[in-house]
Amino acid sequence: MAKLKASQQGIAKIKQARNEKGWTVDDPRWLVEASKVLEPKKIWQEGGPYADGCSEGNWKRFLYGKAGVNTEVFKAFCRVLGVSWEEIVDRTVVAQDFAVEDTPDKWQEVCRRMLLEQKRLSSNKLMPRQMKRDLIDENIYVDLTLVQQEQIQKVGGDSSPEQGSLLYESTGYSKTERFEYNQFLTTLLSTETNDRIAIIGEPGGGKTTLLQKIAFWLLDNTEDLVIWVSLGRLATNIIDYIFNDWLRDAEGTVTENLQTAWKSQLEQRQVWLLLDGLDEMAAEMQETLSARGLLTHVRIVTSCRLNVWQANPRILDGFEFYITQPFTYPQVQQFIEKWFSKDSALGDRLWQAIHQPGKERIKDLARNPLRLTLLCAIWQGRDGDLPDTKAKLYQKFVYKIFDWKAEYFRRDSNNQERLNAKLRELAREAIDKEPTRFRLRHKFVCQLLGKPKDKDSLLQLALDLGWLNQVGMDADEPEEPVYAFWHPTFQEYFAAGTIDHWNFFLNHIPDNPKDSKASYRIFERQWKEVILLWLGREDVLTENKEAFIKALVEFQDGCRECILEGKGFYEYRAYCLAAIGIAEFKECSCADAILSQLMRWAFGYFNLEMQMWVTESCPSSKAAIAAFQESDRSRTIPALINLMLNSSNNATNATLADMALSLGKIGTGNQQAIDALINLIRTTFDIFPLDQGSYIIDKAFNSLEFIGQNNQQLIYELNNMMQNSQHEYTCVKAAECLGKIVPGNEQAIARLVALIEKSADEFIPSEAHFSLAKIAPAPPKAGRTIERSIFDGVWQLPRWLLDEQESSKDELKRRWAEETFEHICSKSPKAIQPLIDIIHNSPNEGIFRDAVRLLGEFGTNDKQAVALLIELSRHSNFVISNFAIQYLGNANVMQEQVIYTLIDLLYNTPNSRIYAAYNLGKIINRYPLSSAVSPLKKSLKNYIPTQESFTLYCKCYDILSQCTQTMPFPEYYEAWHS
């Protein structure tokens, strides 16, 4: 038993902790909780409070040490209340028997105790008290991957905002330079070769938590001493800190004897310095990194922000660099599962929610551990929902991050608003004018934010806060840094904050779209997300948003003549954008009317006069369906359910399948959507025969698999259908769906096995076999794997070359055959000329055909090869010409000649029209050519006398539609009217 006394400050901490838990002084719950962590359950041996009551006097008597106290019980008491026992005890009067002897284990325990003070989630300060988490103790932590990198990588080109995490992902490394967490520990920390290790990463990338994991691993798996140093708070050199400040914090007071004992331990044992936050360290203190002094066995692991290392690599001279990688999506899912381990259904709904159409940026944004933590907290705090607009969600992120870095604004509160304004301007100007919109050149950034070393530089402040990060050096200007926003989503959010009026996005001048005052950003893909964020802004007037939606719906492109359909191509695009915008502007007065029209384009409607299901033409029903899926789910789900259930007797099987698939895209976790799909499955075979109904059934079950995860009602319904449906095909698909929702489900496997063995229908066992293979445990892997070869689909040419190599009497020909074969195998450009020669001089038709196919496989970047393919596209042999046409669609050189060749084939070779149209669409989508508009327009006539004319009309219509997806509207307008 020990005698101890609590300080007055300690008593205050106990009271505060108890009040936070809502426990009164007479509440025995803390005793009950303490008993859960102690064996035996007797709380203490004599004196102090007891299990059936806890009066103020009792616990004060206990804390002030008038009775003997079991020290383990006392520590448990503190753990239950969530306070550190070291903070409670008055260290100046602690009894000797409460102290620990000066042993190696004691000093490692001291290191552990000091480390426990650091074991916290960095983002806890951003969340309400009830949501604060401990990544390590709660087993929420997901292991990071690290990549060894010796130098700063050069970057060029731009990045997709849907995959913005790639900005922070290392490229060009070998397998030996990639380390999973456990491999990092065992390979690098367990050997003596690496005594200087730097963990580099983006803001919120998990560096500090990784460092904490490493520290505890060292304490648990070695006898080494581990000293944690928060560099941002370091006010002296490291040696002085360790022998004075650190020791005082650890032991309460510093005596000469204590320093001697500590020094003796450090001289005898290997020491690890874990230096957290090199980027937060004062510049004048950075030379202390090289100080060793008495620490003869020191090994250092430090964490550092990407910015600091990129800007000054020499700060870590002598260190090996390991770059943290963004989470993969399986890691994101693993983190969500761990966070919501007590409510897995809530976590499943979040995982499904970020996979909804239009949520691609949120899903990618979640690859950063800090952002994912905040996303989980927001989802949890809102009981399984996100804010009703993306603008509000990102606003929460922005506010939290500014709060996190509030110390940067204590001296000058105006800096935050100044920085905000400049970040908005930078974001908008980069999207509008920079050739690389999301990788920002140093000169461009400095024009708006100032140079990093300038006094009161906003660029330096943006880098310190992590809103901007250096992501490499310019590939064209190797000495110039390249920056990026923390995620492109935030760049789009900041850009939306600068736009006061919708005319910025659309200022239509009908007769002269090329007028300098005209604006058609609504047709530029890089502005779509900015437009949606603008519509979701709370500070934009409703009438301003209403006017914008009205302008989109009523937009007239002036390119309608000769088109049989009701709208021009760009008019459809504007309308679809309005429909998507409703998701962010739910109060829109014409939302229902817009969605009603969109559904007619997407799925058709029942015409009462014609007494049949008809579809209204749209450049692509897929575009209308895609827009419908991105629109306001609170409207689209009930509308689609109503349409699907009321049209099952009239719509085609393909249309109903499209409806089922769309419901699967938007109906995550929605019970009405699940019920509607089940109803569709039950009634399909009453309306359609097997060959038609099976297509609907397949799509409905695919949707249920996605939207019904962990839905117990659905699991019950699937069990019922699997066992009792009158249609065996439904039984098969229900079993497969159940096996996917509940992996390893024995009833589903047994039902499929029974259908294989007992079904009288010869079709059903085959289907059941396929389904069983998808849900049963994976069979053993084959002994060897056969990889796809360049010769798949060709066989005479390689055999002929090998024969020539072995048997030709001409030595030059033998050598030529050998080299040609090797060049083809390696897809070398050197194979192109031999293939051209073979095509001109082939000994038989099989070799000729093989040579054309191989030339097309890897000759699309070569002008000579493409020129020959153009020539062969008019070959008299139908197979050869179609081969050539197929590869012309992939051409990356001579695009204009290829396009005009395919247009000519479209008009003049009826047998190749389908091939020509398909591949013309492929190349025009990649290389839009305005001069192609007028020739294609010739086929769009108001009078179409024959089926052949109608076929040509449809092909040209589809190709022109593809042109409008990438061609600027003013350019298309001019080409249309030329």
Side-chain angles (χ1 to χ4, degrees):
M1 308 304 294
K3 303 286 186 179
L4 61 134
K5 182 177 181 180
S7 65
Q8 289 300 324
Q9 183 181 5
I11 293 291
K13 284 183 177 292
I14 287 285
K15 286 184 176 180
Q16 179 184 355
R18 191 193 62 206
N19 291 337
E20 286 179 353
K21 291 182 177 289
W23 295 350
T24 66
V25 295
D26 292 322
D27 196 324
R29 278 181 293 181
W30 69 271
L31 291 169
V32 175
E33 291 295 321
S35 71
K36 294 178 182 177
V37 297
L38 295 172
E39 287 294 340
K41 289 188 177 181
K42 182 178 179 183
I43 304 303
W44 41 76
Q45 295 171 353
E46 54 182 272
Y50 39 87
D52 59 350
C54 178
S55 68
E56 181 91 19
N58 277 338
W59 65 259
K60 278 190 175 181
R61 183 160 58 92
F62 168 56
L63 288 171
Y64 276 108
K66 292 181 180 179
V69 175
N70 182 311
T71 56
E72 290 305 313
V73 174
F74 177 75
K75 292 180 181 179
F77 168 83
C78 295
R79 280 202 301 276
V80 168
L81 287 178
V83 294
S84 171
W85 70 265
E86 294 93 339
E87 295 179 345
I88 305 304
V89 176
D90 187 344
R91 302 301 297 277
T92 61
V93 294
V94 173
Q96 183 61 37
D97 60 344
F98 192 70
V100 185
E101 293 182 10
D102 186 22
T103 63
D105 288 342
K106 179 258 184 175
W107 285 107
Q108 200 179 46
E109 184 59 33
V110 169
C111 291
R112 183 184 298 275
R113 176 161 29 92
M114 288 296 287
L115 183 61
L116 285 169
E117 297 298 315
Q118 305 296 330
K119 186 171 62 65
R120 63 190 184 280
L121 180 60
S122 299
S123 57
N124 273 343
K125 65 179 73 174
L126 308 181
M127 292 185 284
R129 176 178 55 82
Q130 66 273 19
M131 288 189 190
K132 293 182 178 180
R133 309 297 290 271
D134 186 320
L135 288 180
I136 297 173
D137 280 358
E138 295 185 58
N139 194 30
I140 299 174
Y141 182 78
V142 172
D143 294 341
L144 288 170
T145 299
L146 299 104
V147 170
Q148 186 175 13
Q149 191 168 313
E150 295 183 0
Q151 58 185 3
I152 299 170
Q153 60 186 22
K154 295 179 181 179
V155 296
D158 208 0
S159 175
S160 162
E162 292 85 3
Q163 297 179 304
S165 293
L166 294 180
L167 290 164
Y168 297 97
E169 198 164 331
S170 299
T171 59
Y173 53 84
S174 68
K175 290 182 179 179
T176 58
E177 295 168 326
R178 180 183 177 90
F179 297 88
E180 303 302 331
Y181 172 70
N182 287 327
Q183 183 188 7
F184 180 79
L185 295 177
T186 56
T187 303
L188 300 176
L189 301 186
S190 300
T191 64
E192 298 290 336
T193 57
N194 308 88
D195 64 354
R196 292 288 188 275
I197 295 173
I199 298 170
I200 313 292
E202 62 172 314
K207 301 181 297 296
T208 296
T209 308
L210 175 60
L211 210 61
Q212 291 171 0
K213 284 278 287 186
I214 290 171
F216 282 107
W217 183 87
L218 289 168
L219 289 174
D220 292 338
N221 293 278
T222 72
E223 296 182 354
D224 301 342
L225 297 178
V226 178
I227 302 172
W228 180 282
V229 182
S230 295
L231 294 176
R233 297 197 292 269
L234 190 65
T236 182
N237 67 62
I238 290 177
I239 297 296
D240 287 344
Y241 172 77
I242 291 172
F243 280 93
N244 292 289
D245 301 43
W246 188 90
L247 202 55
R248 183 179 300 108
D249 291 341
E251 295 297 289
T253 184
V254 177
T255 65
E256 186 175 342
N257 289 339
L258 187 64
Q259 285 181 322
T260 301
W262 182 223
K263 176 183 176 183
S264 174
Q265 287 296 318
L266 296 181
E267 288 176 338
Q268 296 175 39
R269 306 171 70 181
Q270 180 164 276
V271 179
W272 290 84
L273 284 181
L274 298 208
L275 309 179
D276 184 40
L278 181 63
D279 46 282
E280 300 174 7
M281 190 180 190
E284 59 271 17
M285 299 300 301
Q286 289 173 358
E287 68 273 6
T288 65
L289 280 180
S290 60
R292 292 200 183 198
L294 297 172
L295 304 177
T296 55
H297 304 288
V298 69
R299 296 178 71 182
I300 294 177
V301 184
T302 186
S303 66
C304 182
R305 278 261 300 276
L306 191 66
N307 276 341
V308 173
W309 176 62
Q310 298 263 33
N312 184 14
R314 292 183 179 177
I315 193 176
L316 289 170
D317 275 348
F319 281 76
E320 290 185 357
F321 310 121
Y322 296 88
I323 315 298
T324 62
Q325 300 300 286
F327 279 159
T328 62
Y329 287 123
Q331 287 175 311
V332 172
Q333 186 176 21
Q334 184 184 3
F335 186 96
I336 291 173
E337 288 173 352
K338 289 186 172 186
W339 184 279
F340 294 101
S341 59
K342 296 180 180 178
D343 190 349
S344 59
L346 193 62
D348 290 337
R349 295 207 325 262
L350 174 57
W351 175 247
Q352 293 167 355
I354 63 177
H355 283 77
Q356 293 285 349
K359 298 294 191 293
E360 293 81 7
R361 286 163 172 78
I362 297 176
K363 183 174 74 169
D364 185 76
L365 176 143
R367 294 184 64 196
N368 173 279
L370 174 61
R371 296 194 299 255
L372 177 55
T373 300
L374 294 179
L375 182 66
C376 289
I378 291 170
W379 184 261
Q380 181 182 356
R382 296 174 60 88
D383 295 325
D385 195 14
L386 294 175
D388 58 356
T389 70
K390 285 186 280 190
K392 291 179 183 177
L393 174 63
Y394 301 147
Q395 185 180 58
K396 284 182 177 292
F397 278 115
V398 171
Y399 285 169
K400 290 291 186 183
I401 299 307
F402 273 121
D403 286 346
W404 188 25
K405 302 292 184 177
E407 64 269 18
Y408 285 90
F409 303 108
R410 285 175 186 155
R411 293 182 180 178
D412 186 354
S413 58
N414 292 327
N415 270 352
Q416 180 171 338
E417 189 51 44
R418 287 176 56 231
L419 178 62
N420 238 328
K422 281 298 183 182
L423 287 175
R424 290 171 180 170
E425 184 181 357
L426 175 71
R428 184 196 64 212
E429 292 299 296
I431 294 174
D432 201 31
K433 297 175 181 176
E434 278 292 277
T436 53
R437 301 181 181 97
F438 298 102
R439 283 191 171 111
L440 312 179
R441 296 174 299 119
H442 180 71
K443 291 179 181 177
F444 171 75
V445 174
C446 290
Q447 288 173 2
L448 292 170
L449 301 186
K451 296 180 180 178
K453 294 183 180 180
D454 289 350
K455 185 180 180 182
D456 298 327
S457 168
L458 289 177
L459 173 54
Q460 189 58 54
L461 181 57
L463 292 169
D464 290 341
L465 291 170
W467 283 123
L468 289 180
N469 295 281
Q470 186 177 336
V471 293
M473 306 302 289
D474 195 327
D476 298 323
E477 299 288 341
E479 294 185 0
E480 290 291 314
V482 174
Y483 304 102
F485 276 80
W486 189 28
H487 191 277
T489 287
F490 293 112
Q491 181 176 343
E492 293 166 324
Y493 170 79
F494 280 121
T498 67
I499 296 157
D500 298 323
H501 196 276
W502 59 268
N503 278 345
F504 178 83
F505 303 121
L506 173 62
N507 186 27
H508 187 29
I509 301 178
D511 297 329
N512 185 17
K514 284 200 166 183
D515 190 292
S516 60
K517 296 179 181 178
S519 173
Y520 298 97
R521 292 183 176 91
I522 60 169
F523 301 123
E524 298 174 21
R525 293 180 180 178
Q526 68 267 27
W527 288 105
K528 175 186 171 184
E529 192 69 14
V530 179
I531 290 170
L532 298 179
L533 289 165
W534 181 85
L535 283 167
R537 280 174 50 189
E538 294 181 286
D539 58 340
V540 175
L541 296 176
T542 298
E543 51 265 35
N544 200 355
K545 299 178 185 179
E546 289 276 8
F548 180 46
I549 295 292
K550 185 173 185 290
L552 291 174
V553 170
E554 297 178 354
F555 178 76
Q556 296 184 5
D557 62 14
C559 302
R560 260 197 233 173
E561 73 272 17
C562 303
I563 296 180
L564 293 178
E565 287 70 22
K567 283 185 174 290
F569 298 115
Y570 287 90
E571 294 170 7
Y572 280 121
R573 287 188 62 190
Y575 204 102
C576 286
L577 181 60
I580 296 170
I582 293 168
E584 305 299 316
F585 176 38
K586 293 178 171 59
E587 304 83 8
C588 179
S589 61
C590 56
D592 291 333
I594 291 172
L595 289 179
S596 177
Q597 178 59 70
L598 197 69
M599 289 178 70
R600 290 166 74 101
W601 290 334
F603 308 111
Y605 67 101
F606 185 73
N607 188 298
L608 291 174
E609 293 182 3
M610 301 172 65
Q611 285 296 298
M612 63 180 293
W613 193 268
V614 298
T615 56
E616 290 192 5
S617 295
C618 185
S620 169
S621 63
K622 292 181 180 179
I625 290 173
F628 181 80
Q629 291 171 356
E630 287 189 62
S631 194
D632 178 14
R633 293 174 70 239
S634 66
R635 287 184 169 93
T636 55
I637 291 175
L640 185 54
I641 290 173
N642 183 62
L643 179 66
M644 188 173 73
L645 296 182
N646 291 319
S647 61
S648 57
N649 291 319
N650 302 305
T652 65
N653 65 323
T655 299
L656 284 170
D658 284 342
M659 293 180 191
L661 277 175
S662 292
L663 197 54
K665 296 281 189 180
I666 63 178
T668 301
N670 186 286
Q671 190 60 49
Q672 287 73 32
I674 292 171
D675 293 343
L677 289 167
I678 291 173
N679 184 74
L680 178 66
I681 291 168
R682 284 176 175 157
T683 58
T684 291
F685 285 134
D686 297 334
I687 303 168
F688 295 97
L690 178 62
D691 60 334
Q692 296 179 28
S694 60
Y695 184 62
I696 300 173
I697 296 288
D698 288 348
K699 303 309 177 188
F701 275 118
N702 287 346
S703 291
L704 284 175
E705 177 192 337
F706 182 74
I707 70 176
Q709 294 292 320
N710 295 313
N711 185 295
Q712 295 304 311
Q713 187 173 338
L714 173 60
I715 292 171
Y716 172 80
E717 293 289 349
L718 289 173
N719 262 303
N720 185 42
M721 278 193 286
M722 177 181 74
Q723 302 294 348
N724 303 315
S725 176
Q726 298 177 8
H727 304 282
E728 287 186 328
Y729 188 80
T730 301
C731 295
V732 170
K733 291 301 174 180
E736 179 184 325
C737 186
L738 180 61
K740 289 179 177 178
I741 291 177
V742 185
N745 186 277
E746 294 181 0
Q747 290 85 356
I749 293 172
R751 183 65 172 129
L752 289 171
V753 170
L755 287 166
I756 292 170
E757 295 175 347
K758 299 177 181 179
S759 176
D761 188 327
E762 62 180 357
F763 170 71
I764 294 300
S766 174
E767 288 296 320
H769 265 297
F770 282 121
S771 295
L772 187 61
K774 295 176 183 177
I775 68 170
K781 293 184 178 179
R784 71 186 185 94
T785 302
I786 301 174
E787 296 183 359
R788 175 177 169 79
S789 166
I790 184 62
F791 294 121
D792 286 356
V794 303
W795 61 281
Q796 290 198 46
L797 176 58
R799 188 178 66 180
W800 175 70
L801 288 171
L802 290 172
D803 287 344
E804 290 293 315
Q805 176 186 337
E806 293 176 0
S807 60
S808 177
K809 296 179 180 180
D810 186 335
E811 183 181 349
L812 290 177
K813 193 168 186 179
R814 289 200 306 271
R815 190 181 306 165
W816 172 86
E818 180 181 2
E819 291 178 352
T820 300
F821 186 83
E822 290 176 355
H823 294 330
I824 291 172
C825 286
S826 61
K827 297 186 180 182
S828 168
K830 294 180 180 180
I832 291 173
Q833 186 57 53
L835 286 170
I836 291 173
D837 294 339
I838 292 169
I839 290 169
H840 286 310
N841 305 289
S842 59
N844 63 57
E845 185 177 338
I847 292 174
F848 175 76
R849 184 180 62 248
D850 285 355
V852 172
R853 293 191 67 177
L854 289 173
L855 183 69
E857 285 284 343
F858 47 94
T860 51
N861 293 320
D862 184 271
K863 289 185 177 180
Q864 195 176 358
V866 171
L868 181 53
L869 290 171
I870 289 174
E871 179 184 334
L872 292 171
S873 68
R874 296 183 174 88
H875 198 276
S876 57
N877 184 302
F878 177 77
V879 174
I880 296 298
S881 65
N882 279 351
F883 277 165
I885 291 169
Q886 174 186 342
Y887 294 119
L888 285 176
N890 299 324
N892 294 315
V893 293
M894 301 175 65
Q895 296 93 346
E896 187 168 349
Q897 294 94 313
V898 170
I899 289 171
Y900 281 117
T901 298
L902 293 173
I903 290 174
D904 181 66
L905 292 168
L906 183 70
Y907 281 112
N908 299 313
T909 54
N911 290 338
S912 298
R913 184 164 290 159
I914 294 176
Y915 265 79
Y918 175 75
N919 288 287
L920 179 59
K922 280 176 63 178
I923 192 168
I924 277 185
N925 191 47
R926 292 180 294 120
Y927 301 102
L929 183 66
S930 59
S931 58
V933 172
S934 183
L936 289 167
K937 176 186 170 185
K938 289 190 302 181
S939 293
L940 304 185
K941 300 175 181 177
N942 290 325
Y943 176 67
I944 303 177
T946 66
Q947 181 62 41
E948 184 178 350
S949 299
F950 182 70
T951 301
L952 184 61
Y953 174 96
C954 292
K955 298 302 178 187
C956 293
Y957 183 93
D958 288 341
I959 297 166
L960 283 169
S961 173
Q962 289 188 56
C963 287
T964 64
Q965 298 304 308
T966 51
M967 194 176 293
F969 171 66
E971 185 178 324
Y972 182 89
Y973 179 91
E974 185 178 60
W976 180 271
H977 291 284
S978 63

